[in-house]
Short mmCIF file of all heavy atoms in Angstrom, two decimals:
data_model
loop_
_atom_site.label_atom_id
_atom_site.label_comp_id
_atom_site.label_asym_id
_atom_site.label_seq_id
_atom_site.Cartn_x
_atom_site.Cartn_y
_atom_site.Cartn_z
N SER A 401 0.84 -1.19 0.00
CA SER A 401 0.00 0.00 0.00
C SER A 401 0.87 1.24 0.00
O SER A 401 2.06 1.18 0.38
CB SER A 401 -0.92 0.03 1.23
OG SER A 401 -0.16 0.24 2.41
N GLY A 402 0.29 2.37 -0.39
CA GLY A 402 1.01 3.62 -0.35
C GLY A 402 1.44 3.98 1.06
O GLY A 402 2.54 4.53 1.27
N THR A 403 0.59 3.71 2.04
CA THR A 403 0.96 3.95 3.43
C THR A 403 2.21 3.19 3.81
O THR A 403 3.14 3.72 4.43
CB THR A 403 -0.20 3.57 4.37
OG1 THR A 403 -1.29 4.47 4.17
CG2 THR A 403 0.22 3.60 5.83
N GLU A 404 2.26 1.91 3.42
CA GLU A 404 3.43 1.08 3.74
C GLU A 404 4.68 1.62 3.04
O GLU A 404 5.78 1.58 3.58
CB GLU A 404 3.15 -0.36 3.32
CG GLU A 404 4.12 -1.36 3.88
CD GLU A 404 3.76 -2.79 3.52
OE1 GLU A 404 2.58 -3.05 3.19
OE2 GLU A 404 4.66 -3.64 3.55
N ALA A 405 4.50 2.13 1.82
CA ALA A 405 5.63 2.67 1.07
C ALA A 405 6.22 3.89 1.78
O ALA A 405 7.45 3.99 1.94
CB ALA A 405 5.21 3.03 -0.35
N THR A 406 5.37 4.83 2.20
CA THR A 406 5.90 6.04 2.85
C THR A 406 6.46 5.72 4.23
O THR A 406 7.50 6.26 4.63
CB THR A 406 4.82 7.13 2.96
OG1 THR A 406 3.68 6.63 3.67
CG2 THR A 406 4.38 7.59 1.59
N MET A 407 5.81 4.83 4.95
CA MET A 407 6.31 4.41 6.26
C MET A 407 7.71 3.82 6.12
O MET A 407 8.63 4.14 6.89
CB MET A 407 5.38 3.38 6.88
CG MET A 407 5.85 2.78 8.18
SD MET A 407 4.77 1.44 8.75
CE MET A 407 5.18 0.16 7.55
N SER A 408 7.90 2.97 5.12
CA SER A 408 9.19 2.31 4.93
C SER A 408 10.25 3.29 4.44
O SER A 408 11.42 3.20 4.84
CB SER A 408 9.03 1.17 3.92
OG SER A 408 8.07 0.23 4.36
N ALA A 409 9.85 4.23 3.58
CA ALA A 409 10.80 5.23 3.10
C ALA A 409 11.30 6.10 4.24
O ALA A 409 12.50 6.45 4.30
CB ALA A 409 10.16 6.09 2.01
N LEU A 410 10.42 6.46 5.17
CA LEU A 410 10.85 7.25 6.33
C LEU A 410 11.82 6.47 7.20
O LEU A 410 12.84 7.01 7.67
CB LEU A 410 9.64 7.66 7.16
CG LEU A 410 8.73 8.76 6.63
CD1 LEU A 410 7.70 9.13 7.69
CD2 LEU A 410 9.51 9.98 6.21
N ARG A 411 11.51 5.21 7.45
CA ARG A 411 12.42 4.39 8.27
C ARG A 411 13.79 4.29 7.61
O ARG A 411 14.83 4.40 8.26
CB ARG A 411 11.83 2.99 8.47
CG ARG A 411 12.70 2.09 9.34
CD ARG A 411 12.09 0.72 9.49
NE ARG A 411 10.76 0.81 10.09
CZ ARG A 411 9.84 -0.15 10.01
NH1 ARG A 411 10.10 -1.27 9.37
NH2 ARG A 411 8.67 0.02 10.58
N LEU A 412 13.79 4.10 6.29
CA LEU A 412 15.05 4.00 5.56
C LEU A 412 15.83 5.31 5.63
O LEU A 412 17.05 5.31 5.83
CB LEU A 412 14.76 3.62 4.10
CG LEU A 412 15.97 3.47 3.17
CD1 LEU A 412 16.96 2.45 3.71
CD2 LEU A 412 15.49 3.09 1.78
N ALA A 413 15.14 6.44 5.48
CA ALA A 413 15.81 7.74 5.55
C ALA A 413 16.42 7.97 6.92
O ALA A 413 17.55 8.48 7.05
CB ALA A 413 14.83 8.85 5.20
N ARG A 414 15.70 7.59 7.97
CA ARG A 414 16.24 7.75 9.32
C ARG A 414 17.43 6.83 9.54
O ARG A 414 18.42 7.20 10.18
CB ARG A 414 15.12 7.48 10.34
CG ARG A 414 14.15 8.65 10.47
CD ARG A 414 12.91 8.30 11.26
NE ARG A 414 12.23 9.51 11.72
CZ ARG A 414 10.93 9.57 12.01
NH1 ARG A 414 10.16 8.49 11.86
NH2 ARG A 414 10.40 10.70 12.42
N GLY A 415 17.35 5.61 9.00
CA GLY A 415 18.47 4.69 9.13
C GLY A 415 19.70 5.17 8.38
O GLY A 415 20.83 5.02 8.85
N PHE A 416 19.47 5.77 7.21
CA PHE A 416 20.59 6.22 6.37
C PHE A 416 21.29 7.43 6.98
O PHE A 416 22.52 7.53 6.95
CB PHE A 416 20.07 6.56 4.97
CG PHE A 416 21.16 6.94 3.99
CD1 PHE A 416 21.89 5.98 3.33
CD2 PHE A 416 21.44 8.28 3.74
CE1 PHE A 416 22.90 6.33 2.43
CE2 PHE A 416 22.44 8.65 2.84
CZ PHE A 416 23.16 7.67 2.19
N THR A 417 20.51 8.36 7.54
CA THR A 417 21.08 9.61 8.06
C THR A 417 21.45 9.53 9.53
O THR A 417 22.25 10.34 10.02
CB THR A 417 20.10 10.78 7.88
OG1 THR A 417 18.90 10.50 8.63
CG2 THR A 417 19.75 10.99 6.41
N GLY A 418 20.86 8.59 10.26
CA GLY A 418 21.07 8.54 11.70
C GLY A 418 20.36 9.66 12.44
O GLY A 418 20.67 9.93 13.61
N ARG A 419 19.40 10.31 11.79
CA ARG A 419 18.64 11.40 12.40
C ARG A 419 17.18 10.99 12.55
O ARG A 419 16.75 9.97 11.99
CB ARG A 419 18.74 12.65 11.53
CG ARG A 419 20.17 13.13 11.25
CD ARG A 419 20.18 14.23 10.23
NE ARG A 419 21.52 14.71 9.88
CZ ARG A 419 21.76 15.63 8.96
NH1 ARG A 419 20.74 16.21 8.32
NH2 ARG A 419 23.00 16.00 8.71
N SER A 420 16.40 11.81 13.27
CA SER A 420 15.03 11.39 13.58
C SER A 420 13.94 12.35 13.09
O SER A 420 12.80 11.93 12.91
CB SER A 420 14.87 11.20 15.09
OG SER A 420 15.17 12.41 15.78
N VAL A 421 14.25 13.63 12.88
CA VAL A 421 13.21 14.60 12.55
C VAL A 421 12.82 14.48 11.08
O VAL A 421 13.68 14.32 10.20
CB VAL A 421 13.68 16.03 12.86
CG1 VAL A 421 12.67 17.06 12.36
CG2 VAL A 421 13.91 16.19 14.37
N VAL A 422 11.52 14.55 10.81
CA VAL A 422 10.98 14.51 9.45
C VAL A 422 10.18 15.79 9.22
O VAL A 422 9.43 16.24 10.09
CB VAL A 422 10.07 13.28 9.25
CG1 VAL A 422 9.36 13.35 7.90
CG2 VAL A 422 10.89 12.01 9.36
N VAL A 423 10.34 16.37 8.04
CA VAL A 423 9.60 17.57 7.67
C VAL A 423 8.56 17.19 6.62
O VAL A 423 8.87 16.51 5.63
CB VAL A 423 10.53 18.65 7.08
CG1 VAL A 423 9.73 19.87 6.63
CG2 VAL A 423 11.57 19.06 8.12
N LYS A 424 7.31 17.60 6.84
CA LYS A 424 6.24 17.43 5.85
C LYS A 424 5.53 18.77 5.69
O LYS A 424 5.83 19.74 6.38
CB LYS A 424 5.26 16.34 6.25
CG LYS A 424 4.45 16.65 7.51
CD LYS A 424 3.13 15.90 7.54
CE LYS A 424 2.19 16.42 6.47
NZ LYS A 424 0.79 15.95 6.62
N PHE A 425 4.56 18.80 4.77
CA PHE A 425 3.86 20.05 4.48
C PHE A 425 2.37 19.90 4.75
O PHE A 425 1.77 18.86 4.45
CB PHE A 425 4.11 20.47 3.03
CG PHE A 425 5.55 20.78 2.76
CD1 PHE A 425 6.37 19.82 2.20
CD2 PHE A 425 6.09 22.01 3.12
CE1 PHE A 425 7.72 20.07 2.00
CE2 PHE A 425 7.43 22.28 2.92
CZ PHE A 425 8.25 21.31 2.35
N ALA A 426 1.78 20.95 5.31
CA ALA A 426 0.35 20.94 5.62
C ALA A 426 -0.45 20.71 4.35
O ALA A 426 -0.22 21.33 3.33
CB ALA A 426 -0.05 22.27 6.25
N GLY A 427 -1.40 19.79 4.44
CA GLY A 427 -2.25 19.48 3.31
C GLY A 427 -1.76 18.32 2.47
O GLY A 427 -2.51 17.79 1.66
N CYS A 428 -0.50 17.93 2.63
CA CYS A 428 0.02 16.75 1.95
C CYS A 428 -0.33 15.51 2.77
O CYS A 428 -0.11 15.48 3.97
CB CYS A 428 1.53 16.84 1.75
SG CYS A 428 2.06 18.03 0.51
N TYR A 429 -0.84 14.51 2.09
CA TYR A 429 -1.23 13.25 2.75
C TYR A 429 -0.30 12.15 2.28
O TYR A 429 -0.10 11.97 1.08
CB TYR A 429 -2.68 12.91 2.43
CG TYR A 429 -3.14 11.59 3.01
CD1 TYR A 429 -3.33 11.46 4.39
CD2 TYR A 429 -3.40 10.50 2.20
CE1 TYR A 429 -3.76 10.26 4.93
CE2 TYR A 429 -3.84 9.30 2.73
CZ TYR A 429 -4.02 9.17 4.10
OH TYR A 429 -4.44 7.98 4.63
N HIS A 430 0.24 11.40 3.23
CA HIS A 430 1.18 10.34 2.90
C HIS A 430 0.75 9.01 3.52
O HIS A 430 1.59 8.20 3.91
CB HIS A 430 2.58 10.71 3.40
CG HIS A 430 3.07 12.03 2.89
ND1 HIS A 430 3.47 12.23 1.59
CD2 HIS A 430 3.20 13.23 3.51
CE1 HIS A 430 3.85 13.49 1.43
NE2 HIS A 430 3.68 14.13 2.59
N GLY A 431 -0.57 8.80 3.57
CA GLY A 431 -1.07 7.59 4.20
C GLY A 431 -1.24 7.77 5.69
O GLY A 431 -0.88 8.80 6.27
N HIS A 432 -1.78 6.74 6.35
CA HIS A 432 -2.09 6.88 7.77
C HIS A 432 -0.92 6.40 8.65
O HIS A 432 -1.07 5.65 9.60
CB HIS A 432 -3.39 6.16 8.12
CG HIS A 432 -3.43 4.69 7.80
ND1 HIS A 432 -3.75 4.22 6.55
CD2 HIS A 432 -3.18 3.61 8.55
CE1 HIS A 432 -3.71 2.91 6.55
NE2 HIS A 432 -3.36 2.51 7.75
N VAL A 433 0.27 6.87 8.29
CA VAL A 433 1.46 6.62 9.11
C VAL A 433 1.40 7.50 10.35
O VAL A 433 1.14 8.70 10.24
CB VAL A 433 2.74 6.95 8.30
CG1 VAL A 433 3.99 6.63 9.12
CG2 VAL A 433 2.74 6.19 6.98
#
C-alpha cells in the first residue's frame, strides 16, 4: 500500500542519516502513518 511505502521510506531515511526529525507540508497526505 502507499501507506506502507511512505512508512518504509521514512524508516530507511532515518536509518541512512542517523537522524530522527521529518519535515512534511500541511495538506500533503502520505497515508495513515
